[in-house]
Amino acid sequence: MSTIDAFRELQDALTAVEEQTETADDDRSAHALAAALAGSTALARVDPGLLLAELLADPRGWPDQSWENYFGNACITVVRTETIRVDVLYWLQNSSTLHKHVSSGAFLALSGRRVHLEYDFSALDALGDGVTSATLSATSRTMMRAASVSPILPTLVHELYWIEKPSVTVAVRRAPAQPEAGGPAHRPHEFVGPGIGYLPAAFHRTSNVQRWIDGLGMLRRANRRLYLRTLEQAMTVVDPIHLIHVLDELSDNPPDEVSALLERAAAARADDDLARLAPTVPEFRRRKIFSRVFAPGVDAQLLAGLLWAGAEGGELAAFLKDEGVTDPDRFVRDHGESLSARDPRVAPYVEHARRSLR
C-alpha cells in the first residue's frame, strides 16, 4: 500500500463523520473528526518522509491548493471535498503565533513533539477597528507526542512550539460557516499578553497597514536615525491597529531605547491607546527570542519550548520529568547555557526558571 492510500481511507472515515453530524454542531463535529483521526490505524503507520516524497513525485493528483491556511514548510492538501479539507504540514520553525481558528476540525501530531498551549480570551473593550483589550489566560499547557490528537473549534485560542525539526501535522478543517446575512465575516485573530487581540495585517480589508510596516522596515535599513524620528512622529497620531503592529516590530530593539520612545510618544498622544498597548512589548520580545533561537541537540530545544510556554516551578519540573529528566535544575542550567550562548537575551529567562525550581 502506498503512503497516500492511508489518506484515501481517512477520507472515507471523515466523510462518514460529516454525513452523521449536523452542519452547525461545531463541538460534536470537531470531537468526531478528532476520533476519526485517532482511530486511523493506516495513518499511524505513515512515514512522513516517504509521504512527502510520494506527494512531490507526482503533483498532478493534488486537489486544488487554496491560499487559505497556507502554513508550514511545506503544506500540502491531500483531501478536499465540499465540506472538509485535510492538509499535511511540515514545521521547520520553532513556534506558531497565538491565534484563533475560523472553523472546526482536528489535528494529529504525525511525528515530533510539540508544546501545546490553550487560552481563554474574554473580550472586554474594543480599541478601534481590529484591536481588542481583554483578559488572556492560559487554560492548559500540554506536551503533544506522535499520535496525539486535538479537536479544533472556532472558539479555540492556542499556540504551539515544535521541538523536533521537522515536526509533521495532519490537520482536518471543515469549511468555515458562512456569516449571517449582513453580519461581519469571521476573521482569524492573533493575541499577545497581557491581554490584546488583533487582526493580522494579512486579513485586513486593505493593504494599508502592511504597506506602512514595509515602508518602516525599508527606512530602518536605510537610515536608522530618520526611521526612529519618523516612527516617533507616526506613533503620536496612528490608530491602535497600526500601533500594535509596530510594537511587535519594536520589540527587537534594545529595551531601554524602546521604553524611552514609547514614553515620549504616549505623552504626545491625545488618548491613552499607546499607554494601554505598550505592556505587550515584553511579551512580543520574549516570544520572538524563543521562536528564533536554535541550539544543537533536541534537549536544548525542549528547554526553549518550555521557556517559551512560560512553564516554571512545579509545572516546569513535571514537564521535564515526563520527558525522562531526573534532575530538572541541572537540565535547565546546562541547556540554558547552550541556549544563552546562541542568544544572550535568553539568560534572564533561564535564571528565572532555575530560581522557580528551588
Side-chain angles (χ1 to χ4, degrees):
M1 183 179 75
S2 66
T3 53
I4 198 64
D5 287 337
F7 289 95
R8 296 190 178 98
E9 293 183 14
L10 177 63
Q11 179 175 349
D12 292 340
L14 296 175
T15 300
V17 167
E18 285 289 281
E19 291 173 349
Q20 298 167 12
T21 306
E22 292 290 335
T23 303
D25 193 345
D26 285 322
D27 186 82
R28 182 181 174 191
S29 175
H31 284 86
L33 292 173
L37 271 179
S40 175
T41 56
L43 189 61
R45 296 192 299 269
V46 166
D47 179 291
L50 293 178
L51 172 62
L52 183 60
E54 185 174 331
L55 289 170
L56 297 179
D58 187 357
R60 293 174 299 172
W62 289 6
D64 287 341
Q65 307 287 301
S66 168
W67 284 109
E68 296 174 0
N69 301 311
Y70 186 66
F71 308 121
N73 325 93
C75 168
I76 299 177
T77 302
V78 291
V79 174
R80 192 178 189 104
T81 71
E82 290 185 0
T83 59
I84 58 173
R85 162 183 168 163
V86 179
D87 293 326
V88 181
L89 302 100
Y90 292 76
W91 302 104
L92 291 176
Q93 68 264 43
N94 280 1
S95 64
S96 71
T97 60
L98 174 50
H99 61 280
K100 186 176 182 180
H101 287 267
V102 298
S103 61
S104 60
F107 68 96
L108 174 143
L110 187 61
S111 70
R113 294 170 297 170
R114 68 281 314 268
V115 185
H116 184 214
L117 276 67
E118 297 186 31
Y119 292 81
D120 177 70
F121 183 77
S122 302
L124 299 175
D125 185 23
L127 300 180
D129 184 36
V131 182
T132 302
S133 173
T135 300
L136 180 69
S137 54
T139 58
S140 71
R141 294 182 180 92
T142 58
M143 181 70 74
M144 294 184 69
R145 299 177 178 85
S148 296
V149 174
S150 175
I152 298 171
L153 289 166
T155 55
L156 176 65
V157 177
H158 74 151
E159 58 184 345
L160 300 108
Y161 196 102
W162 298 279
I163 297 169
E164 282 80 17
K165 309 292 188 298
S167 288
V168 185
T169 299
V170 176
V172 180
R173 296 181 179 89
R174 300 177 77 199
Q178 295 300 311
E180 297 180 4
H186 184 61
R187 294 180 289 175
H189 280 65
E190 293 182 2
F191 305 86
V192 63
I196 296 295
Y198 61 97
L199 190 65
F203 296 101
H204 291 192
R205 293 182 177 86
T206 72
S207 61
N208 289 31
V209 171
Q210 186 61 58
R211 291 172 191 253
W212 182 66
I213 295 169
D214 292 344
L216 286 172
M218 176 63 72
L219 192 57
R220 182 184 67 247
R221 292 188 292 271
N223 187 321
R224 183 168 174 77
R225 180 178 296 179
L226 181 58
Y227 157 76
L228 289 172
R229 187 169 73 235
T230 301
L231 182 58
E232 184 170 342
Q233 292 173 341
M235 291 176 71
T236 65
V237 296
V238 295
D239 60 12
I241 196 63
H242 287 78
L243 288 174
I244 195 64
H245 281 87
V246 83
L247 291 178
D248 184 5
E249 179 190 320
L250 271 177
S251 63
D252 273 333
N253 291 277
D256 291 345
E257 181 182 87
V258 173
S259 295
L261 175 62
L262 293 177
E263 186 175 345
R264 292 193 302 271
R269 287 186 67 94
D271 55 41
D272 66 349
D273 288 345
L274 180 53
R276 295 178 66 179
L277 293 174
T280 63
V281 172
E283 186 65 3
F284 274 129
R285 180 180 296 116
R286 184 180 71 84
R287 291 177 180 279
K288 282 191 174 182
I289 289 170
F290 289 107
S291 69
R292 295 171 179 170
V293 67
F294 282 95
V298 71
D299 285 342
Q301 286 305 131
L302 169 62
L303 177 60
L306 295 176
L307 295 177
W308 165 89
E312 59 184 42
E315 183 184 27
L316 175 59
F319 264 114
L320 291 173
K321 288 179 179 178
D322 284 346
E323 299 307 307
V325 175
T326 56
D327 188 343
D329 181 72
R330 182 175 180 178
F331 183 93
V332 173
R333 182 196 67 197
D334 292 348
H335 295 293
E337 289 176 356
S338 177
L339 291 171
S340 299
R342 293 298 177 112
D343 187 339
R345 297 177 300 171
V346 169
Y349 301 98
V350 172
E351 181 56 30
H352 175 80
R354 291 194 67 195
R355 287 197 304 269
S356 77
L357 289 170
R358 294 166 189 162

